[in-house]
Structure formats: C-alpha cells, structure tokens
Amino acid sequence: MLPPFLMKLFCYPVNGPCRAILLLCREAQIPFELIRVDVPNGELMSTKFTEQNPTHTVPAVRDEKILLNECNSILRYLCSKYNLVNWYPSELIERTRVDLLLDSQYNLRRATLNALEVCGYSINYTVIEADMFENDEKVATVMKVYLDLLGQLEANLGERQEFLTGETMTIADISYICELSFYSILNTDLKVFPKVYQWYERMIANLTTWSTVNNEFEEFIKKVNERQKKQQEQKLKAKRYGKDAKGGTKPPDICHTIFFAGSTHDAFLQLTTEATLSKLLGSACTFNSTNGGNFTLCDSSVTGRNLILLQDVRILQSWRASEWPANMSSTVKIVFEKLDSGGTEVTLTQSDVPEPFIKKTDDWWQTFFNRVEGVLARNLVQQIFFENASPHEIYELLLDSVKMTKYARAKCEVGRGVGSEFEFYDATIRGRNVELVTDAKIVQKWRAQDWPQWHFSTVTIEMKRVTGGTELNFLQIAIPFDKFRLVSETWEKNFWRKMQKEIKDTRVFA
C-alpha cells in the first residue's frame, strides 16, 4: 500500500503570497513538503521547476491530482479540504465578506510590486540599478496609489473591529498582512493609518508562527534598509561633488562658488582686466587676455597661462604659486552663469594643487574674491531624522510663526503662501516663499541683514516618510563664506534640535 500523498508547496519565503500559504499551513498544522524556489537566481525558469509547475510562478501547490498556482485560490482550497471553518467561515454572509477582501487584495499586491520597483527591486526581488528608477514623477504616482489603498483599508476597518471581517482572524487577514509587511521599505509610516497599524500589531501578536515563517523575509528587509542607507549617502555625496560622483572619485582640490552683483560680462571683465585686477588687489598684476596669454597676480606671487578665454562664459588656466616646487602647476576652471536676479554666479574649481599647499591656496582664493568684490559662498547640506513624526507635523512646525519664535527666542513671522514674505530674529533675517508643496517641500529665498544688499541664498527643505519617522533633507545654497558656521549652527541648535525635543516631549506626555 502506497503512503498517503504529501502535498508539495513551492515557494520563495520573501514573496508575500508564499508567506501567506506558509502561515496558514503552520498555524493550522497542515502537513506539507516545502520546496524552496530560488526566485532571484532564476530557478522559476529551470527545467526542474517547469516539470512541476509549467506556469513558472510561486506560490504553487501540487496536491494529489491538482496543481494550484494562485495564492488566494490555494488558501480557499486548503480551508475547504481540511474543514478550517475558523479561517474560512461556512456561513454564507461571513464567507462572502472574506471572498470580497481576497478578490480585491490583488490591487494591493499590484501596488506593492510597483512600489518595490521604484524603490529599486524587480518583481523577482533582484536589484535594479538606481538610474533605471530615479524618476520623481513616477515615484509620486506609484506611491499615491499604494497609500490610497491603505487609506481604503483604514476606512473599511470598524472602530472596534479586531480583524478585517469582524472579531475572528481569517485567511483574508493572512493574505493582507503578508502583502502589507513590505511597508517598512516603501517610505511609509503605518501609524498614519492608526486602525491599520493596530490591526497589523494585533495580527503579529496572534500569529504564533509569524517569526518562523518570516525569518528569511526579515533578512531581506535588513539588506534593503542597508542598501537604501548607502543610496542616501551617495545622493549626499552627489550634491557635494556633482551628479556623477561615485565612491572613490576624487573631487577637485579646491571648489568655490562666488556671486557678483553685476552681469556675466561685468564679472568676466573684473577677473580678466589688468587695470581692474591691480586696483582691486592693491598690487601689480599683468593679464594678456588672449588664449595662450600669460598673467601674473599680486606682484608675481601667482603666475600662469590662459588656456581658454571664452568671453562671459568660461576661463581655463594653467596656474601656479611662486612658492610651489619647480615645474608644478594646477588647472583652474572658472565658469560664469547668469542669475535670474541679474547677478552672476561664478564657479571655480582647481585641480592638481600640491598637497602641502592646498589649504594655503584655498585661503588665497578667499582673500582674492573678497578683494574683487565677489561674495564667496558655501552650500549647507544637513539631514535630520524626526522620530515618530509625520511629514505633516514637520511642515506645520516650519510654517508656524509662534513655534519658530519659541525656537529662535526672537520674533519670527512666517508667511504660508507662495510669494509671501517671512522674517526671523526680529527681522534681521528676511526672505520669501518661492515654492510650497504641502507636507513635502519648502523653498525660500533667504538673506541676513549683514549680507550684501543684493545677495540672497536659496533654502530647500524636503520631507519624506521613512521607517520610524520623517527624514528632512536640508539644502541652503550660497551662504557667504564668513557666515557659514553661524548659519549652520543656528539651524542645528536653534531649530532642528529644539523641534526634535518638542516632538519627543509631545510623545512622552501624550
């Protein structure tokens, strides 16, 4: 007599539907043979797997004379075969409620797969290179669909409803929680949907085999979180050194941004006219303003040759200080860009500076641009994490005059409309709102009272949900060099830390 047929379950334990089948089998103690399919490495298309399941999909169940390869159909089949009426009610109305949820769960499945894709993972859980999915518009569209579905789930849960269809856990709950468990890597704060969050926590507490079934899935989540952290570090590096910056890429030895009040033509002449340079620097200068012409600055303490002079656009020079070792020179590149304000932004980069002289050369440029009436500027990049806070809370705090006054300990008036003005620290800092995207982005033109009258910096604040709270990415462009430290410490000490403390205190005493 042949032994009874042991059901075969083909699955990849990271996949949501696979984990749903595993959970039911473990919780209901259904006997089965587990056959793990290595989906990321292409085992779905292998001859061995195809012989068992020609559809190339998981989960799949082969049980005696039937092959099933759709999650919710498998859940229904197992409940019917093993008479699991506590998981799949026999009463018509109750069963119909479960069926309705199972049938609509496909929408959440599709939305989750799309969200995983824009976060860098294919349908087979393999990594997609960043350049293939870094499209802000696509990300926004996909995540809106995903969050709208969570909102629908929130609306369908009753105030005192323990589980999705009532007071008893069913296969609908299992199917949904396994799909929803990806939320932590999709920049989604589940606490924004309080009833869904409470249901989620209740499910984990009631499923005795949750940890066992999800062991491999949790390892996957850990790897994804590590990868996302590295990507964020790469983005910050790109902001500092350019879009193409990668680990190991050497940035220029010296890099400065300088602002001039006049046009690009005025700024170009200021840096290439012999008489003007001599007057502003207060020392003898020579300058042959032709390609290949030589120049000397500051009584010949600096000498070089103009490799390219493209009027009002670009200067490329071979440049050296007299104290450098013989036959050593650097390359200086100066680019002129017209600003909407009518002023000019000048970007200077200098490469191949002898290492012992980098700091001294950098100091020389700071003195040089101050004397030629430019505003040497730096960009401030900060990243702040607000634990257990939503983007909405952070956005509202930043536009709340009372709160900002409290943090600054000086009067602050913050406009809430695009084009409206603001004042900080008793009007010693002024500006206007350029762009406001509710709960996501604030862009402001910003200047302090002791800056040159014509000079403004641009502040960009972006907020997004991350696991456990909100990540704020702050960028302030064109801060006068000598004011950089003060501005940086003001944001850090007087605003970010105080906001973090207030949010923490609010949670403690709530």
Side-chain angles (χ1 to χ4, degrees), residues 339-351:
L339 299 174
D340 293 339
S341 63
T344 299
E345 177 179 341
V346 172
T347 303
L348 175 139
T349 57
Q350 185 171 11
S351 303

Side-chain angles (χ1 to χ4, degrees), residues 309-320:
L309 290 176
L310 187 58
Q311 186 170 317
D312 305 345
V313 177
R314 184 185 180 205
I315 298 172
L316 190 66
Q317 298 173 327
S318 174
W319 192 104
R320 72 180 308 276

Side-chain angles (χ1 to χ4, degrees), residues 250 252-253 319 324 328-331 350-355 358:
K250 184 181 182 298
D253 297 314
W319 192 104
W324 291 5
M328 293 195 72
S329 64
S330 65
T331 300
Q350 185 171 11
S351 303
D352 300 321
V353 178
E355 187 172 349
I358 290 177

Side-chain angles (χ1 to χ4, degrees), residues 411-430:
K411 185 178 180 181
C412 298
E413 293 287 343
V414 187
R416 294 186 64 90
V418 173
S420 63
E421 296 184 349
F422 63 84
E423 297 179 350
F424 289 169
Y425 290 97
D426 299 321
T428 59
I429 294 173
R430 296 173 180 267

Side-chain angles (χ1 to χ4, degrees), residues 21-214:
I21 307 300
L22 276 171
L23 271 172
L24 179 64
C25 290
R26 299 291 189 195
E27 294 289 325
Q29 299 182 357
I30 296 172
F32 66 98
E33 177 187 357
L34 176 62
I35 301 176
R36 186 188 182 281
V37 182
D38 193 352
V39 172
N41 289 317
E43 194 175 348
L44 282 176
M45 305 305 294
S46 68
T47 302
K48 179 181 177 181
F49 181 76
T50 302
E51 290 173 354
Q52 297 287 335
N53 180 12
T55 64
H56 308 290
T57 60
V58 288
V61 162
R62 182 170 289 280
D63 191 21
E64 298 183 273
K65 297 180 180 181
I66 190 169
L67 173 66
L68 297 169
N69 50 33
E70 195 281 321
C71 173
N72 293 332
S73 295
I74 295 172
L75 290 173
R76 292 183 177 105
Y77 169 80
L78 293 176
C79 287
S80 297
K81 177 178 179 178
Y82 292 97
N83 195 31
L84 304 177
V85 293
N86 54 327
W87 290 101
Y88 191 41
S90 57
E91 197 275 327
L92 180 61
I93 299 300
E94 292 180 6
R95 173 170 287 206
T96 301
R97 290 196 181 104
V98 174
D99 286 334
L100 285 171
L101 283 167
L102 291 175
D103 292 339
S104 62
Q105 189 264 353
Y106 175 81
N107 295 326
L108 181 61
R109 172 67 178 156
R110 177 50 51 191
T112 301
L113 289 175
N114 289 339
L116 279 171
E117 182 181 1
V118 298
C119 287
Y121 285 83
S122 72
I123 192 172
N124 292 328
Y125 307 99
T126 54
V127 174
I128 302 173
E129 292 302 319
D131 289 345
M132 296 177 64
F133 67 89
E134 282 193 345
N135 181 317
D136 289 342
E137 186 175 338
K138 181 179 179 181
V139 171
T141 301
V142 168
M143 291 308 298
K144 183 179 185 303
V145 172
Y146 181 76
L147 294 173
D148 284 348
L149 287 171
L150 294 191
Q152 293 174 23
L153 191 62
E154 175 79 6
N156 290 335
L157 276 166
E159 289 296 331
R160 298 182 179 179
Q161 191 171 319
E162 293 289 311
F163 300 101
L164 294 183
T165 61
E167 302 305 310
T168 305
M169 189 189 306
T170 68
I171 53 175
D173 294 276
I174 286 182
S175 184
Y176 270 80
I177 193 171
C178 289
E179 209 60 68
L180 198 56
S181 55
F182 286 97
Y183 82 91
S184 64
I185 59 172
L186 302 180
N187 294 325
T188 301
D189 182 2
L190 209 58
K191 292 180 181 178
V192 173
F193 309 96
K195 288 186 286 186
V196 173
Y197 176 76
Q198 291 169 11
W199 163 80
Y200 188 93
E201 293 295 307
R202 190 180 303 116
M203 283 289 297
I204 293 176
N206 280 273
L207 289 167
T208 59
T209 61
W210 175 264
S211 296
T212 303
V213 169
N214 285 277

Side-chain angles (χ1 to χ4, degrees), residues 9 17 24 42 175 178 280 291 412 477 483:
L9 171 57
L24 179 64
S175 184
C178 289
L280 293 174
N291 289 335
C412 298
I477 296 173
K483 307 297 182 185

